[in-house]
């Protein structure tokens, strides 16, 4: 073999060896790339599996959230209904309060009318009590004077007699004068012990008010429709006659008082 041919063969072997090495390197690169690709595919597959699981969890959470939103919507609907019912109740309450206000106003107006009517009735009653002496007591005094004291005809008999005295005046519910005595009457709607003491004071003052009758016996007469027995007893001890309603008219309840007194 010639030197030239050998040289070419050597170069060819070198080139083949270099190609073989180059192919081996490329194969190794390709293999390593495929391994990395497989690893990356496995990693991607794992990531996709995890993502799928997460999506499943998210889907479940979204389902639960949807259910919660549905329940919340139902609750809001119920709340809306309750608010509507509350609004109706408040309207009814407002109407009831208006009715109550109107009724209260009517009640106050009726109460005011009743109060005025009651005041008028009390006034009428007071007037009737004020005329008790003229209507019931006074007509019986002449009879008392005749039956108890033997005076058939009084010298003077008057109701609501008034006389000036010491710059003022004195008034007597009823006054009956006979030759030997004077009946001085005070009439009260209700008798108390102080009325007895007050009448005794009036009796003590009477001679100065009516000096023309100063020498006559003074007999006090308290009158009331239904005097308490304790007052009758006290008046008797002071020599004061007490008249009260009998079976038909006013009667003296303690004639024995004419024989007693301090």
């Amino acid at each position: 073999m010639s030197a030239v041919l050998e040289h070419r063969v050597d170069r060819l072997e070198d080139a083949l060896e270099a190609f073989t090495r180059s192919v081996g390197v490329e194969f190794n690169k390709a293999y390593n790339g495929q391994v990395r690709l497989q690893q990356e595919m496995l990693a991607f597959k794992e990531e996709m599996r995890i993502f799928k699981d997460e999506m499943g969890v998210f889907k479940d959470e979204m389902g639960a959230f949807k259910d919660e939103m549905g329940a919340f919507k139902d609750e809001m609907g119920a709340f809306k209904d309750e608010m509507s019912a509350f609004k109706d109740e408040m309207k009814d309450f407002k109407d009831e309060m208006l009715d109550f206000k109107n009724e209260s106003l009517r009640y106050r107006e009726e109460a005011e009318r009743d109060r005025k009517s009651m005041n008028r009735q009390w006034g009428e009653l007071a007037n009737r009590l004020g005329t008790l002496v003229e209507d019931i007591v006074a007509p019986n005094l002449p009879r008392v004077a005749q039956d108890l004291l033997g005076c058939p005809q009084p010298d003077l008999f008057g109701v609501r007699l008034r006389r000036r005295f010491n710059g003022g005046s004195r008034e007597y519910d009823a006054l009956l004068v006979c030759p030997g005595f004077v009946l001085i009457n005070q009439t009260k709607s209700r008798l108390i012990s102080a009325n007895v003491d007050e009448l005794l004071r009036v009796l003590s003052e009477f001679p100065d008010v009516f000096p023309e009758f100063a020498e006559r016996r003074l007999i006090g007469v308290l009158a009331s429709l239904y005097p308490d027995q304790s007052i009758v007893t006290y008046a008797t001890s002071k020599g004061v006659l007490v008249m009260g309603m009998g079976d038909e008219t006013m009667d003296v309840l303690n004639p024995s008082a004419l024989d007693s007194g301090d």
Side-chain angles (χ1 to χ4, degrees), residues 59-84:
K59 182 178 180 180
D60 293 338
E61 291 178 350
M62 287 301 295
F65 177 74
K66 183 178 180 180
D67 293 338
E68 291 177 356
M69 287 301 294
F72 177 74
K73 183 178 180 181
D74 294 338
E75 291 177 358
M76 287 301 295
F79 177 74
K80 182 178 180 180
D81 294 338
E82 290 176 357
M83 287 302 294
S84 177

PDB file of all heavy atoms in Angstrom, residues 59-84:
ATOM      1  N   LYS A  59     -63.718  22.986  43.782  1.00  0.00           N
ATOM      2  CA  LYS A  59     -65.073  22.727  43.308  1.00  0.00           C
ATOM      3  C   LYS A  59     -65.996  22.423  44.488  1.00  0.00           C
ATOM      4  O   LYS A  59     -67.129  22.905  44.548  1.00  0.00           O
ATOM      5  CB  LYS A  59     -65.055  21.572  42.312  1.00  0.00           C
ATOM      6  CG  LYS A  59     -66.421  21.278  41.725  1.00  0.00           C
ATOM      7  CD  LYS A  59     -66.310  20.136  40.704  1.00  0.00           C
ATOM      8  CE  LYS A  59     -67.690  19.842  40.105  1.00  0.00           C
ATOM      9  NZ  LYS A  59     -67.622  18.729  39.097  1.00  0.00           N
ATOM     10  N   ASP A  60     -65.481  21.601  45.439  1.00  0.00           N
ATOM     11  CA  ASP A  60     -66.282  21.295  46.628  1.00  0.00           C
ATOM     12  C   ASP A  60     -66.549  22.558  47.441  1.00  0.00           C
ATOM     13  O   ASP A  60     -67.670  22.785  47.939  1.00  0.00           O
ATOM     14  CB  ASP A  60     -65.560  20.265  47.499  1.00  0.00           C
ATOM     15  CG  ASP A  60     -65.460  18.903  46.815  1.00  0.00           C
ATOM     16  OD1 ASP A  60     -66.284  18.661  45.901  1.00  0.00           O
ATOM     17  OD2 ASP A  60     -64.582  18.104  47.199  1.00  0.00           O
ATOM     18  N   GLU A  61     -65.487  23.374  47.581  1.00  0.00           N
ATOM     19  CA  GLU A  61     -65.658  24.621  48.327  1.00  0.00           C
ATOM     20  C   GLU A  61     -66.658  25.546  47.633  1.00  0.00           C
ATOM     21  O   GLU A  61     -67.478  26.195  48.294  1.00  0.00           O
ATOM     22  CB  GLU A  61     -64.310  25.324  48.471  1.00  0.00           C
ATOM     23  CG  GLU A  61     -63.348  24.586  49.401  1.00  0.00           C
ATOM     24  CD  GLU A  61     -62.007  25.269  49.483  1.00  0.00           C
ATOM     25  OE1 GLU A  61     -61.767  26.208  48.678  1.00  0.00           O
ATOM     26  OE2 GLU A  61     -61.181  24.886  50.351  1.00  0.00           O
ATOM     27  N   MET A  62     -66.578  25.589  46.305  1.00  0.00           N
ATOM     28  CA  MET A  62     -67.520  26.403  45.563  1.00  0.00           C
ATOM     29  C   MET A  62     -68.935  25.863  45.715  1.00  0.00           C
ATOM     30  O   MET A  62     -69.908  26.630  45.813  1.00  0.00           O
ATOM     31  CB  MET A  62     -67.129  26.450  44.073  1.00  0.00           C
ATOM     32  CG  MET A  62     -65.913  27.311  43.804  1.00  0.00           C
ATOM     33  SD  MET A  62     -66.128  29.026  44.320  1.00  0.00           S
ATOM     34  CE  MET A  62     -67.424  29.548  43.198  1.00  0.00           C
ATOM     35  N   GLY A  63     -69.063  24.531  45.756  1.00  0.00           N
ATOM     36  CA  GLY A  63     -70.387  23.940  45.980  1.00  0.00           C
ATOM     37  C   GLY A  63     -70.921  24.307  47.356  1.00  0.00           C
ATOM     38  O   GLY A  63     -72.101  24.663  47.509  1.00  0.00           O
ATOM     39  N   ALA A  64     -70.016  24.192  48.366  1.00  0.00           N
ATOM     40  CA  ALA A  64     -70.431  24.571  49.716  1.00  0.00           C
ATOM     41  C   ALA A  64     -70.792  26.053  49.778  1.00  0.00           C
ATOM     42  O   ALA A  64     -71.771  26.453  50.424  1.00  0.00           O
ATOM     43  CB  ALA A  64     -69.302  24.247  50.706  1.00  0.00           C
ATOM     44  N   PHE A  65     -69.955  26.890  49.086  1.00  0.00           N
ATOM     45  CA  PHE A  65     -70.225  28.330  49.066  1.00  0.00           C
ATOM     46  C   PHE A  65     -71.562  28.618  48.376  1.00  0.00           C
ATOM     47  O   PHE A  65     -72.330  29.474  48.818  1.00  0.00           O
ATOM     48  CB  PHE A  65     -69.087  29.042  48.332  1.00  0.00           C
ATOM     49  CG  PHE A  65     -69.303  30.522  48.191  1.00  0.00           C
ATOM     50  CD1 PHE A  65     -69.152  31.367  49.277  1.00  0.00           C
ATOM     51  CD2 PHE A  65     -69.679  31.068  46.957  1.00  0.00           C
ATOM     52  CE1 PHE A  65     -69.355  32.734  49.138  1.00  0.00           C
ATOM     53  CE2 PHE A  65     -69.879  32.429  46.819  1.00  0.00           C
ATOM     54  CZ  PHE A  65     -69.720  33.262  47.909  1.00  0.00           C
ATOM     55  N   LYS A  66     -71.824  27.850  47.298  1.00  0.00           N
ATOM     56  CA  LYS A  66     -73.091  28.012  46.597  1.00  0.00           C
ATOM     57  C   LYS A  66     -74.257  27.651  47.515  1.00  0.00           C
ATOM     58  O   LYS A  66     -75.279  28.343  47.536  1.00  0.00           O
ATOM     59  CB  LYS A  66     -73.090  27.148  45.339  1.00  0.00           C
ATOM     60  CG  LYS A  66     -74.350  27.306  44.490  1.00  0.00           C
ATOM     61  CD  LYS A  66     -74.254  26.451  43.241  1.00  0.00           C
ATOM     62  CE  LYS A  66     -75.521  26.617  42.385  1.00  0.00           C
ATOM     63  NZ  LYS A  66     -75.457  25.775  41.152  1.00  0.00           N
ATOM     64  N   ASP A  67     -74.056  26.533  48.270  1.00  0.00           N
ATOM     65  CA  ASP A  67     -75.107  26.140  49.218  1.00  0.00           C
ATOM     66  C   ASP A  67     -75.299  27.215  50.284  1.00  0.00           C
ATOM     67  O   ASP A  67     -76.437  27.547  50.662  1.00  0.00           O
ATOM     68  CB  ASP A  67     -74.752  24.805  49.868  1.00  0.00           C
ATOM     69  CG  ASP A  67     -74.768  23.660  48.868  1.00  0.00           C
ATOM     70  OD1 ASP A  67     -75.437  23.809  47.817  1.00  0.00           O
ATOM     71  OD2 ASP A  67     -74.122  22.618  49.138  1.00  0.00           O
ATOM     72  N   GLU A  68     -74.169  27.739  50.794  1.00  0.00           N
ATOM     73  CA  GLU A  68     -74.256  28.787  51.813  1.00  0.00           C
ATOM     74  C   GLU A  68     -74.935  30.041  51.262  1.00  0.00           C
ATOM     75  O   GLU A  68     -75.736  30.677  51.951  1.00  0.00           O
ATOM     76  CB  GLU A  68     -72.858  29.131  52.328  1.00  0.00           C
ATOM     77  CG  GLU A  68     -72.220  28.018  53.145  1.00  0.00           C
ATOM     78  CD  GLU A  68     -70.809  28.357  53.574  1.00  0.00           C
ATOM     79  OE1 GLU A  68     -70.329  29.438  53.161  1.00  0.00           O
ATOM     80  OE2 GLU A  68     -70.185  27.563  54.305  1.00  0.00           O
ATOM     81  N   MET A  69     -74.606  30.389  50.031  1.00  0.00           N
ATOM     82  CA  MET A  69     -75.236  31.546  49.415  1.00  0.00           C
ATOM     83  C   MET A  69     -76.726  31.303  49.233  1.00  0.00           C
ATOM     84  O   MET A  69     -77.559  32.217  49.398  1.00  0.00           O
ATOM     85  CB  MET A  69     -74.583  31.856  48.064  1.00  0.00           C
ATOM     86  CG  MET A  69     -73.193  32.455  48.184  1.00  0.00           C
ATOM     87  SD  MET A  69     -73.190  34.011  49.117  1.00  0.00           S
ATOM     88  CE  MET A  69     -74.141  35.061  48.007  1.00  0.00           C
ATOM     89  N   GLY A  70     -77.081  30.047  48.894  1.00  0.00           N
ATOM     90  CA  GLY A  70     -78.500  29.712  48.771  1.00  0.00           C
ATOM     91  C   GLY A  70     -79.211  29.842  50.111  1.00  0.00           C
ATOM     92  O   GLY A  70     -80.317  30.390  50.204  1.00  0.00           O
ATOM     93  N   ALA A  71     -78.555  29.313  51.172  1.00  0.00           N
ATOM     94  CA  ALA A  71     -79.137  29.436  52.510  1.00  0.00           C
ATOM     95  C   ALA A  71     -79.233  30.898  52.929  1.00  0.00           C
ATOM     96  O   ALA A  71     -80.234  31.323  53.519  1.00  0.00           O
ATOM     97  CB  ALA A  71     -78.277  28.647  53.514  1.00  0.00           C
ATOM     98  N   PHE A  72     -78.153  31.678  52.604  1.00  0.00           N
ATOM     99  CA  PHE A  72     -78.168  33.100  52.942  1.00  0.00           C
ATOM    100  C   PHE A  72     -79.293  33.818  52.190  1.00  0.00           C
ATOM    101  O   PHE A  72     -79.981  34.689  52.757  1.00  0.00           O
ATOM    102  CB  PHE A  72     -76.812  33.718  52.579  1.00  0.00           C
ATOM    103  CG  PHE A  72     -76.738  35.193  52.811  1.00  0.00           C
ATOM    104  CD1 PHE A  72     -76.649  35.699  54.099  1.00  0.00           C
ATOM    105  CD2 PHE A  72     -76.791  36.093  51.746  1.00  0.00           C
ATOM    106  CE1 PHE A  72     -76.586  37.066  54.316  1.00  0.00           C
ATOM    107  CE2 PHE A  72     -76.732  37.453  51.951  1.00  0.00           C
ATOM    108  CZ  PHE A  72     -76.634  37.941  53.240  1.00  0.00           C
ATOM    109  N   LYS A  73     -79.482  33.421  50.926  1.00  0.00           N
ATOM    110  CA  LYS A  73     -80.557  34.020  50.138  1.00  0.00           C
ATOM    111  C   LYS A  73     -81.910  33.698  50.767  1.00  0.00           C
ATOM    112  O   LYS A  73     -82.785  34.562  50.845  1.00  0.00           O
ATOM    113  CB  LYS A  73     -80.482  33.499  48.705  1.00  0.00           C
ATOM    114  CG  LYS A  73     -81.520  34.111  47.786  1.00  0.00           C
ATOM    115  CD  LYS A  73     -81.351  33.583  46.361  1.00  0.00           C
ATOM    116  CE  LYS A  73     -82.402  34.202  45.424  1.00  0.00           C
ATOM    117  NZ  LYS A  73     -82.263  33.683  44.040  1.00  0.00           N
ATOM    118  N   ASP A  74     -82.046  32.435  51.216  1.00  0.00           N
ATOM    119  CA  ASP A  74     -83.303  32.051  51.878  1.00  0.00           C
ATOM    120  C   ASP A  74     -83.499  32.839  53.167  1.00  0.00           C
ATOM    121  O   ASP A  74     -84.607  33.301  53.472  1.00  0.00           O
ATOM    122  CB  ASP A  74     -83.297  30.555  52.177  1.00  0.00           C
ATOM    123  CG  ASP A  74     -83.316  29.715  50.906  1.00  0.00           C
ATOM    124  OD1 ASP A  74     -83.747  30.248  49.857  1.00  0.00           O
ATOM    125  OD2 ASP A  74     -82.909  28.531  50.967  1.00  0.00           O
ATOM    126  N   GLU A  75     -82.378  32.971  53.941  1.00  0.00           N
ATOM    127  CA  GLU A  75     -82.468  33.735  55.185  1.00  0.00           C
ATOM    128  C   GLU A  75     -82.816  35.199  54.918  1.00  0.00           C
ATOM    129  O   GLU A  75     -83.608  35.800  55.650  1.00  0.00           O
ATOM    130  CB  GLU A  75     -81.141  33.648  55.946  1.00  0.00           C
ATOM    131  CG  GLU A  75     -80.856  32.262  56.509  1.00  0.00           C
ATOM    132  CD  GLU A  75     -79.506  32.189  57.192  1.00  0.00           C
ATOM    133  OE1 GLU A  75     -78.793  33.218  57.172  1.00  0.00           O
ATOM    134  OE2 GLU A  75     -79.161  31.135  57.751  1.00  0.00           O
ATOM    135  N   MET A  76     -82.227  35.758  53.872  1.00  0.00           N
ATOM    136  CA  MET A  76     -82.539  37.140  53.515  1.00  0.00           C
ATOM    137  C   MET A  76     -83.998  37.267  53.096  1.00  0.00           C
ATOM    138  O   MET A  76     -84.677  38.254  53.408  1.00  0.00           O
ATOM    139  CB  MET A  76     -81.629  37.615  52.387  1.00  0.00           C
ATOM    140  CG  MET A  76     -80.192  37.860  52.836  1.00  0.00           C
ATOM    141  SD  MET A  76     -80.077  39.103  54.154  1.00  0.00           S
ATOM    142  CE  MET A  76     -80.643  40.567  53.289  1.00  0.00           C
ATOM    143  N   GLY A  77     -84.485  36.233  52.396  1.00  0.00           N
ATOM    144  CA  GLY A  77     -85.899  36.247  52.026  1.00  0.00           C
ATOM    145  C   GLY A  77     -86.787  36.188  53.255  1.00  0.00           C
ATOM    146  O   GLY A  77     -87.779  36.924  53.372  1.00  0.00           O
ATOM    147  N   ALA A  78     -86.393  35.284  54.214  1.00  0.00           N
ATOM    148  CA  ALA A  78     -87.160  35.201  55.457  1.00  0.00           C
ATOM    149  C   ALA A  78     -87.068  36.503  56.239  1.00  0.00           C
ATOM    150  O   ALA A  78     -88.067  36.976  56.820  1.00  0.00           O
ATOM    151  CB  ALA A  78     -86.638  34.037  56.305  1.00  0.00           C
ATOM    152  N   PHE A  79     -85.856  37.103  56.274  1.00  0.00           N
ATOM    153  CA  PHE A  79     -85.675  38.379  56.972  1.00  0.00           C
ATOM    154  C   PHE A  79     -86.522  39.471  56.316  1.00  0.00           C
ATOM    155  O   PHE A  79     -87.126  40.302  57.006  1.00  0.00           O
ATOM    156  CB  PHE A  79     -84.192  38.763  56.945  1.00  0.00           C
ATOM    157  CG  PHE A  79     -83.899  40.091  57.576  1.00  0.00           C
ATOM    158  CD1 PHE A  79     -83.935  40.239  58.950  1.00  0.00           C
ATOM    159  CD2 PHE A  79     -83.613  41.209  56.789  1.00  0.00           C
ATOM    160  CE1 PHE A  79     -83.674  41.464  59.541  1.00  0.00           C
ATOM    161  CE2 PHE A  79     -83.355  42.430  57.372  1.00  0.00           C
ATOM    162  CZ  PHE A  79     -83.382  42.559  58.746  1.00  0.00           C
ATOM    163  N   LYS A  80     -86.573  39.440  54.993  1.00  0.00           N
ATOM    164  CA  LYS A  80     -87.371  40.419  54.269  1.00  0.00           C
ATOM    165  C   LYS A  80     -88.850  40.254  54.635  1.00  0.00           C
ATOM    166  O   LYS A  80     -89.558  41.240  54.869  1.00  0.00           O
ATOM    167  CB  LYS A  80     -87.167  40.252  52.775  1.00  0.00           C
ATOM    168  CG  LYS A  80     -87.922  41.269  51.934  1.00  0.00           C
ATOM    169  CD  LYS A  80     -87.628  41.066  50.454  1.00  0.00           C
ATOM    170  CE  LYS A  80     -88.395  42.084  49.600  1.00  0.00           C
ATOM    171  NZ  LYS A  80     -88.123  41.901  48.156  1.00  0.00           N
ATOM    172  N   ASP A  81     -89.282  38.979  54.711  1.00  0.00           N
ATOM    173  CA  ASP A  81     -90.675  38.719  55.103  1.00  0.00           C
ATOM    174  C   ASP A  81     -90.929  39.182  56.528  1.00  0.00           C
ATOM    175  O   ASP A  81     -91.981  39.779  56.832  1.00  0.00           O
ATOM    176  CB  ASP A  81     -90.988  37.228  54.975  1.00  0.00           C
ATOM    177  CG  ASP A  81     -90.945  36.746  53.530  1.00  0.00           C
ATOM    178  OD1 ASP A  81     -91.092  37.591  52.621  1.00  0.00           O
ATOM    179  OD2 ASP A  81     -90.759  35.538  53.316  1.00  0.00           O
ATOM    180  N   GLU A  82     -89.945  38.901  57.425  1.00  0.00           N
ATOM    181  CA  GLU A  82     -90.093  39.324  58.821  1.00  0.00           C
ATOM    182  C   GLU A  82     -90.134  40.848  58.916  1.00  0.00           C
ATOM    183  O   GLU A  82     -90.917  41.415  59.702  1.00  0.00           O
ATOM    184  CB  GLU A  82     -88.946  38.781  59.659  1.00  0.00           C
ATOM    185  CG  GLU A  82     -88.996  37.269  59.853  1.00  0.00           C
ATOM    186  CD  GLU A  82     -87.795  36.747  60.616  1.00  0.00           C
ATOM    187  OE1 GLU A  82     -86.904  37.578  60.941  1.00  0.00           O
ATOM    188  OE2 GLU A  82     -87.735  35.535  60.895  1.00  0.00           O
ATOM    189  N   MET A  83     -89.288  41.513  58.157  1.00  0.00           N
ATOM    190  CA  MET A  83     -89.287  42.976  58.166  1.00  0.00           C
ATOM    191  C   MET A  83     -90.609  43.518  57.635  1.00  0.00           C
ATOM    192  O   MET A  83     -91.140  44.512  58.141  1.00  0.00           O
ATOM    193  CB  MET A  83     -88.130  43.506  57.316  1.00  0.00           C
ATOM    194  CG  MET A  83     -86.768  43.330  57.975  1.00  0.00           C
ATOM    195  SD  MET A  83     -86.665  44.149  59.585  1.00  0.00           S
ATOM    196  CE  MET A  83     -86.819  45.874  59.086  1.00  0.00           C
ATOM    197  N   SER A  84     -91.142  42.845  56.621  1.00  0.00           N
ATOM    198  CA  SER A  84     -92.431  43.267  56.094  1.00  0.00           C
ATOM    199  C   SER A  84     -93.520  43.081  57.148  1.00  0.00           C
ATOM    200  O   SER A  84     -94.371  43.956  57.357  1.00  0.00           O
ATOM    201  CB  SER A  84     -92.772  42.461  54.834  1.00  0.00           C
ATOM    202  OG  SER A  84     -94.049  42.809  54.347  1.00  0.00           O
TER     203      SER A  84
END
